[in-house]
Structures are given as C-alpha cells and as structure tokens.
Amino acid sequence: MKSIEYARETAYNPFYPEMMRIVRRYNLTDDVRLFQVRPPDGKKTPSVEYRPGQFMMVSVVGTGEAPFSISSSPSRPGLIEFCIRKTGTVTEALFRLKENSTIGVRGPYGNGFPVEKMVGHDLIFVVGGLGAAPLRSLLLYVLDNRELFGKVYFLHGAKKPSEMLFREEFFSMCERDDLSCFLSVDADDTGRWPARVGLVTCLFSEVKGVTPDNTYAVVCGPPAMYKFVIAELLKLNIPKHQILMTLERRMKCGTGKCGHCAIDYIYACLDGPVFTYWDVLHMRELI
Ligand SMILES: Cc1cc2nc3c(=O)[nH]c(=O)nc-3n(C[C@H](O)[C@H](O)[C@H](O)COP(=O)(O)OP(=O)(O)OC[C@H]3O[C@@H](n4cnc5c(N)ncnc54)[C@H](O)[C@@H]3O)c2cc1C
Ligand code: FES
C-alpha cells in the first residue's frame, strides 16, 4: 500500500508549500532584508522554474503566509532570492528566523514579464524603493542574455542613500559599457552621495536615442511615482501597451480561487502582477 509520504510527493497540490532552507540573509536597509533560499540539498523541484516578475507565497509555520516577488533571476539557478520589508505579522516572523531555518514556499504565481516579446527591443527600467525587488530579477535576466536586447536604461531612485536597495550592486552596474545605469536620491543626508539628487524623473534627461515603437518601459515603485513616470514615458512616445508595470493587490491563494485580488473581471494573481499601462487606463483601480 502506498504511504502518505508517497501520496504527498506524487499528488500535485498547489497549496502544499515546499519547505526551503534559508541559506543566507542580510540587511539591504534598516527594514529590508534579502533572503536567499534553496530546496533541501539534492532535491530538484518544479517550483524553482520561474520567469522574472513572478511571485511566490512564503510562509512561516504557525504564523501565516504572504506573497513576495522573486528578486533573483532564472538565468542564475540554485538560489531563490526574496527582498522583504518588515511590515507586519509574517514579515516580522521571517525577520526572526536565522540562517538554516526552513520556510514554506509555494508557486511561482502570476504572469511575469513577457520576456519573449521584449527580445530585440530597447528597454527602460524605472524603479523606486521596493520596486527593485521584482525589477532586479528582470534586469539580471537581461544582462545575462545581453545580446538579445537593444539599449538598456536603468533609472533607480530612493528617498535617501541608506534606503537604496542593492546599492553596491547597482553602483557596480553603472561601470558596465552595455548598460546605462543612473541612480538618484530625493535628498542626500550624507553629503557624500556620488550620483544624482532629485526625484527619479530627473534621470529621464539621460535617456537618449531610443526608438519609441521599439522600446519597452518597465516601471515599479510606490503608487505616487507612477503618474510622473508615466508622463515622462509618454513624452518619449513609448506606446501605452509597451509600458509595463508590476502592481500589488492583497492576495491570499495566489491561484485565482479566493477572489481577494479581483478587480472587475480580472484576478491580479493570475492576470498580473504585471500589467500594461493600457490595462491600467481601462481599470483605474489597479494602482
Ligand atoms: C504580487 C506581490 C508581490 C509582493 N512582493 C513583495 C516583495 O518583494 N517584498 C515585500 O516586502 N513585499 C512584497 N509584497 C507585499 C507583501 O506581500 C505584504 O506587505 C504582506 O502583507 C506582508 O505580510 P505581513 O503579514 O508581514 O504584513 P501584514 O500584517 O499583512 O500587513 C502589514 C501592513 O501592510 C498592509 N498591506 C498588506 N498587504 C498589502 C498589499 N498587498 N498592498 C498594500 N498594503 C498591504 C496592511 O494593511 C498593513 O498595514 C508583495 C505583494 C504582492 C501582492
Ligand atoms: S489571491 Fe486568491 S484569487 Fe487572487
């Protein structure tokens, strides 16, 4: 007779989390931490196959679960990375865990970025604050497949130097010849910030020579940022259906079953979290 373990291993249950080990965790800012996780040694799982822009449901046993974007790139297999801000019950429990602790992970969920359609195009990334979490995955993917894309601009803004996520990583990217990387802070409280001071929109003056019809823009950041960034992208004549944005809604199941993320006739967990500006114009509630 087949054992319960055999049934568990062979029956696909989308709500059954896979236990993964926290290999490393370190602070990116005072309240944002990067978690590098991997399946137990030697175990191959379908869940590690994902595309940039997808998210996973992460759980702490006895506390609960919440959705988090995948910050690592599928082009760098082995570890899955989550960049998590401490905001409430689940994230506080995650921050209490030490390296080698196990967490539950299910997914990946959501549509992710249409990377196949983006091939051959110029790309403009516009990132604010925690928006770096999903967009870092796409940026690393693009850099690892650099020959497939045209010009790549990466514009990243933070409130102040200590709040810029992946600061060292992005500063080292600014040295690359195949990437136009520009960083800004709203205010420099250190007096030693070596890049631009101003809102992220001030970096648009660096974007030169893109062909609008052949360009995809990718935007993720705090809600207040979208209106101004979209205005800049429209000034560059980027078509509305080629402006992509990843948006958050409250989610529970992640699989289109509970209705928590429903907006009109769409489920943000299935049809999103990546939407085009065209989608957003027809569903104002999205932002
Ligand atoms: C697709 C998706 C991807 C996400 N990616 C990340 C990520 O990469 N990193 C990260 O730190 N967070 C991310 N989040 C947000 C994260 O899931 C929430 O902050 C989550 O509620 C944290 O759980 P908690 O139990 O710690 O906080 P809670 O105790 O649930 O809530 C803390 C506070 O956040 C508010 N809140 C909860 N959910 C949301 C929401 N969806 N939108 C706005 N406010 C909310 C609550 O009202 C409360 O004020 C993502 C959310 C979605 C839907
Ligand atoms: S989170 Fe349950 S339907 Fe989207």
Side-chain angles (χ1 to χ4, degrees), residues 226-260:
Y226 285 87
K227 185 175 158 194
F228 302 101
V229 168
I230 297 289
E232 294 294 332
L233 293 169
L234 295 178
K235 267 192 240 166
L236 289 173
N237 292 319
I238 312 292
K240 295 183 179 78
H241 62 279
Q242 286 173 203
I243 299 176
L244 306 170
M245 40 187 76
T246 158
L247 303 175
E248 287 183 11
R249 307 294 298 182
R250 280 164 199 273
M251 292 181 188
K252 283 282 176 205
C253 68
T255 59
K257 299 278 186 273
C258 73
H260 268 79

Side-chain angles (χ1 to χ4, degrees), residues 55 65-71 82-92 130 133-134 246-251 273:
F55 66 94
E65 74 176 352
F68 297 101
S69 305
I70 305 172
S71 286
F82 298 104
C83 167
I84 295 178
R85 170 165 289 148
K86 188 161 45 158
T87 47
T89 320
V90 174
T91 47
E92 275 168 18
L130 200 55
T246 158
L247 303 175
E248 287 183 11
R249 307 294 298 182
R250 280 164 199 273
M251 292 181 188

Side-chain angles (χ1 to χ4, degrees), residues 4-12 43:
I4 290 175
E5 283 72 29
Y6 177 85
R8 272 194 185 143
E9 279 171 20
T10 51
Y12 175 67
K43 190 159 183 236

Side-chain angles (χ1 to χ4, degrees), residues 11-37:
Y12 175 67
N13 179 343
F15 297 106
Y16 194 78
E18 176 155 13
M19 299 316 287
M20 294 207 187
R21 190 163 60 86
I22 299 175
V23 179
R24 196 170 163 228
R25 73 204 199 332
Y26 57 90
N27 286 352
L28 296 172
T29 68
D30 287 348
D31 61 351
V32 180
R33 188 170 283 179
L34 189 80
F35 291 83
Q36 298 180 318
V37 308

